[in-house]
Amino acid sequence: MARHRLDQLSSYSEALGVQGTHELIVVDDESKLHSLLMQRFAEKYDASAGAFVELRPSVLVRE
């Protein structure tokens, strides 16, 4: 992982066979996505979670 700005982290891994970097984005706790994730997490694990992150592929600019 690397920090680019105070509010931006990125990650690099070839573990899934996908090359490139990904931004780690905290899911807004007031969004519909967060509500859905909370519901699905509770159904699966019978527990609550506080936060979720999204791995969003970064757009690479090639020279």
Side-chain angles (χ1 to χ4, degrees):
M1 288 195 322
R3 182 177 297 276
H4 300 287
R5 300 185 320 237
L6 289 177
D7 63 345
Q8 181 186 26
L9 294 173
S10 66
S11 170
Y12 177 82
S13 175
E14 293 182 6
L16 299 174
V18 179
Q19 294 183 349
T21 61
H22 292 75
E23 285 182 86
L24 284 112
I25 300 169
V26 176
V27 176
D28 181 359
D29 63 352
E30 295 181 8
S31 69
K32 290 181 181 181
L33 176 58
H34 188 271
S35 298
L36 179 61
L37 291 170
M38 290 287 285
Q39 176 187 349
R40 299 281 169 85
F41 188 90
E43 289 171 358
K44 183 169 185 167
Y45 299 108
D46 194 26
S48 62
F52 297 94
V53 294
E54 173 186 355
L55 289 175
R56 184 178 297 168
S58 298
V59 177
L60 297 177
V61 177
R62 297 187 181 206
E63 297 178 18

